């Protein structure tokens, strides 16, 4: 984290942050294009991002990267077996309600734990978590969105759009301006992904998407 590549707007961009930024952008772009390489490149991104989030006390995001690493391995395996060529699926209304309720409940439960990590493990988490509940909600939504992406559910892009909008504001508030800008690009890519998959559904209109 200490090796500075350049300084912009008074912010020191390190080699690690730049590598995380570029690999993250490339991974999302490849996901939009339905390319299996999105997963191995994403593994590099989540590893570096986990280290960065630890240093800026976004502990929920740090733990999220651990999940992303495991789901990235699964996604890489599943898509290499042809999952990315299967028809796009759509969530049913009842499933959406159940998932929304689960995320809400877990946000309060996990958020409480994250907000007190500095008391439970003071030797590891020296400072109190920043925006513990908001950070936790974003982490849970990201887990859901990443899972839906791997399984080819259309709604993953809608979740990513919501996540990216909130993340831009959060990272600007935390002073990590270039990561905030990265999420602005993620937002654009998520909109592109939404439109690309929507186009694919319309193109294959003779094969209605599976509603689960």
């Amino acid at each position: 984290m200490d090796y500075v590549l350049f300084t912009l707007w008074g912010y020191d961009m390190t080699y690690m942050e730049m590598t995380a930024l570029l690999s993250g952008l490339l991974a999302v772009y490849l996901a939009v294009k339905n390319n299996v390489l999105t997963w191995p490149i994403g593994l590099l991104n989540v590893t570096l991002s986990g280290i960065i989030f630890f240093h800026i006390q976004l502990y929920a995001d740090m733990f999220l990267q651990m999940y992303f690493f495991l789901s990235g391995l699964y996604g890489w395996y599943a898509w290499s077996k042809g999952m990315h060529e299967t028809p796009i699926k759509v969530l049913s209304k009842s499933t959406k309600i159940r998932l929304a309720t689960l995320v809400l409940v877990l946000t309060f439960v996990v958020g409480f734990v994250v907000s007190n990590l500095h008391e439970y493990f003071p030797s590891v988490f020296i400072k109190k978590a920043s925006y513990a509940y908001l950070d936790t909600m974003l982490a849970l939504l990201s887990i859901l969105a990443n899972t839906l992406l791997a399984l080819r559910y259309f709604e993953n892009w809608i979740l990513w759009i919501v996540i990216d909008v909130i993340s831009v504001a959060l990272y600007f508030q935390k002073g990590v301006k270039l990561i905030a800008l990265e999420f602005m690009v993620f937002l654009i890519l998520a909109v592109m992904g939404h439109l690309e998959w929507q186009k694919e559904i319309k193109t294959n209109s003779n094969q209605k998407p599976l509603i689960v």
Side-chain angles (χ1 to χ4, degrees), residues 98-112:
R98 287 196 297 271
L99 289 174
T101 302
L102 179 62
V103 168
L104 184 61
V105 172
L106 287 177
T107 293
F108 284 101
V109 175
V110 179
F112 176 80

Side-chain angles (χ1 to χ4, degrees), residues 34 38 41 45 69 75-76 94 102 108-109 112 132 173 185 204:
N34 212 31
T38 181
I41 293 174
N45 170 259
F69 190 89
W76 191 2
S94 60
L102 179 62
F108 284 101
V109 175
F112 176 80
Q173 182 65 29
V185 178
N204 300 322

Side-chain angles (χ1 to χ4, degrees), residues 56-127:
I56 60 175
Q57 297 87 51
L58 290 178
Y59 299 137
D61 271 338
M62 179 195 72
F63 289 122
L64 174 63
Q65 305 313 305
M66 298 178 185
Y67 163 80
F68 276 167
F69 190 89
L70 295 175
S71 67
L73 292 175
Y74 167 77
W76 191 2
Y77 171 79
W79 281 35
S80 67
K81 296 296 183 181
M83 174 71 80
H84 62 303
E85 297 175 347
T86 60
I88 295 172
K89 298 184 283 290
V90 176
L91 294 173
S92 66
K93 184 177 180 180
S94 60
T95 300
K96 291 176 184 177
I97 293 174
R98 287 196 297 271
L99 289 174
T101 302
L102 179 62
V103 168
L104 184 61
V105 172
L106 287 177
T107 293
F108 284 101
V109 175
V110 179
F112 176 80
V113 174
V114 171
S115 67
N116 289 283
L117 281 174
H118 64 293
E119 296 183 359
Y120 302 149
F121 308 102
S123 60
V124 178
F125 303 99
I126 300 173
K127 298 180 180 179

Side-chain angles (χ1 to χ4, degrees), residues 127-207:
K127 298 180 180 179
K128 184 177 180 178
S130 300
Y131 305 98
Y133 289 94
L134 178 60
D135 192 31
T136 297
M137 183 190 72
L138 289 174
L140 292 170
L141 289 176
S142 297
I143 288 173
L144 178 57
N146 201 56
T147 302
L148 294 178
L149 171 63
L151 297 175
R152 295 269 290 168
Y153 279 93
F154 177 71
E155 287 80 4
N156 88 88
W157 294 115
I158 298 173
L159 286 178
W160 284 126
I161 290 170
V162 173
I163 292 164
D164 292 339
V165 168
I166 299 174
S167 294
V168 168
L170 176 62
Y171 292 127
F172 265 121
Q173 182 65 29
K174 286 291 295 181
V176 195
K177 296 177 181 177
L178 287 177
I179 291 184
L181 290 178
E182 177 187 17
F183 272 85
M184 290 180 68
V185 178
F186 283 162
L187 175 58
I188 295 172
L189 291 173
V191 172
M192 289 174 55
H194 181 274
L195 295 176
E196 286 268 352
W197 284 34
Q198 191 173 58
K199 180 181 178 181
E200 182 177 337
I201 291 176
K202 290 181 179 179
T203 301
N204 300 322
S205 57
N206 59 319
Q207 296 179 348

Side-chain angles (χ1 to χ4, degrees), residues 4 6-13 175 177-178:
V4 177
F6 61 84
T7 301
L8 181 64
W9 302 328
Y11 180 78
D12 293 331
M13 169 63 79
K177 296 177 181 177
L178 287 177

